Amino acid sequence: MSQMNRRRALQLLAALGTTGFAAGCGSDSEADPTANLSPVKIGLVTPQSGGFKSIGDDITNGFQLFLDLHDQRLGGHPVSLLTADEGDDAKSGKAAVDDLLKQGVLALTGVVNSSVMVAIRDTVEQARVPLIGSNASPSSLQSVFYIWRTSYVLDEAGRALGRYLRDKLPANGRVAIIMPENVGSSDVVRGFRQEFGATDPRIADPVTYTNGTPDPRKSTYVADINKALAKRPTAVFCFFAGAAAVEFIKQLREEYSGPVYAPGFLTEGTVLESLKNDGLGIQTALNYSADLNNTSNRVFASSYRKKYQVTPTTYAMASYDAAQVLDQAIRLTGGKPNSQQVNLALGKIGQIDSPRGIWQFNQPRTPQQKWYLREVQRDGQVMSNVLINELATLG
């Protein structure tokens, strides 16, 4: 079976409820060509507490699910998954990476906070150990050789929505842009204005920047929201994630009931559950929806729901794909991979058959991929990010 041993095929089919195929695949006594391959260490960096913990949990779950479906192996090698707490700032994130490098990991993955990704750039490049980042992806991260990302570049979320809203808003419309003061916000705003039209009067008002804390209080955003709403906008464009997204939307809805647009992180995962009715009607752009109808997503989403009892997020999907690209790259290196060989192999793997749809790494080592428009709607007793349409292919 090309690129797929018998056991892997059976596990994927089992996730789809088609284990009846097993009878035609031989017995478990057949020789396994990967049985004697040496173990490898993979380092996973995620926040284990604070406002981004839920994102970190999704990233851990996505990577672990891939291992579960592949005998706890990558490229045929048994995997020892070492975890480290990213914390909530650049200093703690760098310490986590340093600790994993000392333990001799073959590769790194994870990283939620963009400021952490910037801080560890030189450390990773000097160590010559590949990092397959599964979330943080600031556009300022240029000219890297050992850092790859399976998520997105933040300006792409802004670009996808900028193009859409440029055509959707009426000529007399006005957009209030509200962002936390952090590394990622400038990327999102730049991409949004680039596609909307930097001189368009509908987005002429200055950006209202708020406190960038990942753990806001119940009044953190009130003054900034009132300032942004003073000119009576017809729509709000914002960028928040995790606990900050929940508090921002709750405080916004106290003063404003109009249309809200954002990169999809605003309504991902536990955020959507916490928002309840406040989330209804919010439209977001993202590189993934659990509604996507392709074979890879049916395997991934059904297996994820079965194991974790929740709908998978883009964070979990990107981490699952990080494991997938590592699996393919390690397999290409042969029986005794080292970090430099894996890094070179990452550039040779070509198209990835992902739950998000087919994608591939571009020259800056980020995905060339589709972006989708989603809307928060009620699905029975729960809220759901319902896929509306495809927005663009970017990257």
Side-chain angles (χ1 to χ4, degrees):
M1 293 185 179
S2 62
Q3 305 258 347
M4 187 181 292
N5 62 33
R6 182 182 59 81
R7 185 179 291 131
R8 177 180 174 186
L10 292 179
Q11 288 171 324
L12 292 177
L13 289 166
L16 287 171
T18 54
T19 51
F21 180 78
C25 294
S27 70
D28 285 337
S29 61
E30 292 177 4
D32 184 348
T34 68
N36 296 320
L37 293 179
S38 59
V40 297
K41 296 178 182 178
I42 304 297
L44 176 64
V45 182
T46 60
Q48 297 175 10
S49 61
F52 292 143
K53 181 182 183 298
S54 64
I55 299 174
D57 290 344
D58 286 354
I59 288 173
T60 300
N61 292 345
F63 200 94
Q64 186 59 58
L65 181 64
F66 187 91
L67 293 179
D68 290 349
L69 294 177
H70 296 79
D71 291 341
Q72 308 302 316
R73 293 172 181 259
L74 292 176
H77 293 255
V79 170
S80 177
L81 187 62
L82 309 180
T83 62
D85 187 0
E86 179 180 331
D88 57 7
D89 58 31
K91 182 178 180 180
S92 58
K94 186 176 183 305
V97 168
D98 288 340
D99 180 60
L100 290 170
L101 290 173
K102 289 177 183 177
Q103 297 183 63
V105 295
L106 178 69
L108 295 159
T109 189
V111 185
V112 169
N113 194 324
S114 289
S115 64
V116 171
M117 183 64 84
V118 172
I120 64 176
R121 177 194 186 279
D122 292 345
T123 299
V124 172
E125 293 290 308
Q126 291 167 12
R128 301 174 68 196
V129 172
L131 163 62
I132 299 83
S134 50
N135 188 60
S137 187
S139 61
S140 59
L141 201 68
Q142 301 289 338
S143 303
V144 290
F145 187 69
Y146 282 91
I147 299 178
W148 307 73
R149 286 151 284 175
T150 58
S151 50
Y152 43 73
V153 179
L154 277 174
D155 68 330
E156 293 171 358
R159 288 170 60 194
L161 276 171
R163 187 178 302 182
Y164 171 69
L165 288 179
R166 177 191 62 200
D167 300 330
K168 179 179 176 62
L169 286 184
N172 61 348
R174 196 177 202 94
V175 180
I177 303 176
I178 311 175
M179 301 272 161
E181 194 165 10
N182 60 31
V183 174
S185 291
S186 59
D187 288 342
V188 174
V189 171
R190 184 180 65 255
F192 181 75
R193 284 182 161 161
Q194 174 185 331
E195 292 294 335
F196 198 109
T199 60
D200 194 306
R202 294 175 293 176
I203 58 170
D205 292 340
V207 177
T208 300
Y209 285 105
T210 71
N211 190 313
T213 177
D215 286 307
R217 299 185 178 185
K218 296 188 182 300
S219 60
T220 296
Y221 305 119
V222 171
D224 293 321
I225 286 171
N226 288 333
K227 177 182 176 182
L229 296 180
K231 295 188 177 181
R232 301 184 181 279
T234 52
V236 167
F237 175 59
C238 59
F239 169 59
F240 292 87
V246 177
E247 278 304 323
F248 173 78
I249 291 299
K250 286 184 175 180
Q251 293 171 39
L252 177 68
R253 287 307 192 201
E254 291 290 328
E255 305 294 335
Y256 171 82
S257 59
V260 176
Y261 303 92
F265 329 115
L266 185 74
T267 60
E268 275 293 274
T270 58
V271 172
L272 189 58
E273 300 168 14
S274 300
L275 286 177
K276 299 180 181 176
N277 287 339
D278 286 336
L280 283 172
I282 293 176
Q283 291 194 342
T284 62
L286 203 58
N287 61 346
Y288 175 68
S289 167
D291 291 347
L292 288 171
N293 186 21
N294 61 64
T295 301
S296 293
N297 192 46
R298 288 194 294 272
V299 171
F300 168 68
S302 64
S303 300
Y304 195 92
R305 289 187 178 105
K306 181 178 180 180
K307 180 171 183 179
Y308 301 112
Q309 305 300 308
V310 293
T311 297
T313 64
T314 189
Y315 314 119
M317 177 278 297
S319 190
Y320 181 89
D321 274 2
Q324 182 172 195
V325 299
L326 275 173
D327 177 64
Q328 295 188 30
I330 292 171
R331 193 178 302 279
L332 287 174
T333 66
K336 296 182 179 180
N338 62 41
S339 296
Q340 293 76 43
Q341 290 171 336
V342 171
N343 196 67
L344 289 172
L346 284 166
K348 301 176 182 179
I349 58 178
Q351 292 187 329
I352 309 300
D353 186 4
S354 165
R356 77 188 84 177
I358 299 294
W359 67 272
Q360 62 187 20
F361 284 119
N362 56 20
Q363 188 173 6
R365 289 162 157 69
T366 62
Q368 183 180 44
Q369 63 188 327
K370 293 180 179 179
W371 284 79
Y372 305 94
L373 180 69
R374 315 174 315 165
E375 180 176 295
V376 177
Q377 297 179 9
R378 191 182 300 281
D379 183 9
Q381 298 299 313
V382 299
M383 299 297 176
S384 179
N385 288 299
V386 176
L387 180 64
I388 303 299
N389 58 257
E390 182 182 325
L391 288 173
T393 297
L394 301 171

